[in-house]
Amino acid sequence: MSSIVVQYTDLLRTSDYDLWSRLRELLKGQGLDPDGAIVVDLFQEGPDHEDGQVISEDGRVYRFTLFYDQAAEHVALSAYLHDWTDITDSWRTGSLAIRTADAFAWMSRSTEWS
């Protein structure tokens, strides 16, 4: 199991850091429950954006870009999602296929224990 999945999912659910709080709001706006979503990855691709991938509680896989204005006084408030894409039918051929499969396995184990 990738520690990134566990760490980032925990940050999504519990972090008080403004950008994680804003990501929770943005995911809710897309119909996802942040308390049930799994973060497969979120990696900085440039000075003003990060590419991410999440799994919803119902097993849908989404890819997105999180943009923000580094120069803004409140960086998190400027954050927005772009290129929100349902990749449920194609994630197995993507660069995060192994990590996504591991995240699904971890998700099913976590559900069994709750």
Side-chain angles (χ1 to χ4, degrees):
M1 165 55 18
S2 170
S3 62
I4 289 173
V5 172
V6 176
Q7 179 184 3
Y8 286 3
T9 298
D10 183 58
L11 287 168
L12 175 66
R13 296 178 183 179
T14 64
S15 178
D16 291 332
Y17 182 63
D18 289 344
L19 205 52
W20 285 105
S21 295
R22 178 67 177 149
L23 182 56
R24 282 194 291 275
E25 290 174 21
L26 294 168
L27 291 177
K28 285 179 188 175
Q30 294 295 328
L32 272 68
D33 176 5
D35 291 326
I38 303 291
V39 180
V40 175
D41 206 350
L42 188 66
F43 51 94
Q44 192 156 5
E45 279 292 311
D48 64 348
H49 66 283
E50 300 183 28
D51 287 341
Q53 187 171 306
V54 295
I55 302 172
S56 66
E57 274 185 298
D58 63 355
R60 308 293 303 170
V61 182
Y62 299 94
R63 182 178 55 218
F64 61 90
T65 301
L66 176 67
F67 278 97
Y68 43 83
D69 181 358
Q70 287 284 20
E73 182 177 347
H74 301 285
V75 173
L77 294 178
S78 72
Y80 64 94
L81 294 178
H82 184 67
D83 290 335
W84 180 262
T85 307
D86 185 334
I87 59 166
T88 303
D89 296 330
S90 62
W91 67 263
R92 289 170 186 83
T93 60
S95 61
L96 295 174
I98 292 171
R99 188 175 299 164
T100 304
D102 287 347
F104 270 114
W106 180 64
M107 185 179 184
S108 69
R109 285 193 305 271
S110 299
T111 306
E112 290 170 7
W113 296 330
S114 43

